[in-house]
Amino acid sequence: MPAHLVITARIHDRAAFIDGYAPRAAALVERFGGRYLARGPVSETLEGPDQSGLSVVVSEWPDRAVALAFWNSADYREVARLREGIADCQVLLIE
C-alpha cells in the first residue's frame, strides 16, 4: 500500500532553503523511490486554525517501509541538518 509524507514548513530563509536543502532532499527522494505529488511554496487556510503561509510538500512512496527507510537514512539525516534554523517543520507519515 502506498504511503505519503506530508510536510508543512514555516520557512524563515527561503533562499537558503531552496539553494541548500531542497535540491539535496529532492535527489534523495528520487533515489529512495519516492515522488513528489505537491510542493507548494505558500498555502492558504480554508478552514480551521489559520496556518496560511506554510509551505506544504506531499511525497508518495511505494510503502511505509520505503518511506521510513528514506526518513531514517544517514543520508537524509545529513541533508536534514541543512534546514536547521531556517525552517520549522512538521512531518506526517500517512498510510
Side-chain angles (χ1 to χ4, degrees), residues 18-81:
I18 297 299
D19 294 339
Y21 170 79
R24 289 175 179 88
L28 284 176
V29 166
E30 184 176 329
R31 191 175 101 204
F32 274 83
R35 69 184 185 103
Y36 289 111
L37 300 179
R39 289 190 276 187
V42 179
S43 65
E44 178 181 355
T45 300
L46 299 179
E47 185 174 332
D50 188 13
Q51 296 294 317
S52 296
L54 293 179
S55 293
V56 178
V57 175
V58 179
S59 57
E60 182 176 68
W61 302 84
D63 57 37
R64 176 184 169 86
V66 174
L68 287 172
F70 159 77
W71 188 256
N72 294 318
S73 71
D75 290 337
Y76 182 69
R77 289 288 110 214
E78 182 177 322
V79 169
R81 283 189 284 238

Side-chain angles (χ1 to χ4, degrees), residues 7-26:
I7 301 167
T8 58
R10 184 158 314 277
I11 300 173
H12 308 293
D13 185 340
R14 189 162 296 280
F17 189 89
I18 297 299
D19 294 339
Y21 170 79
R24 289 175 179 88

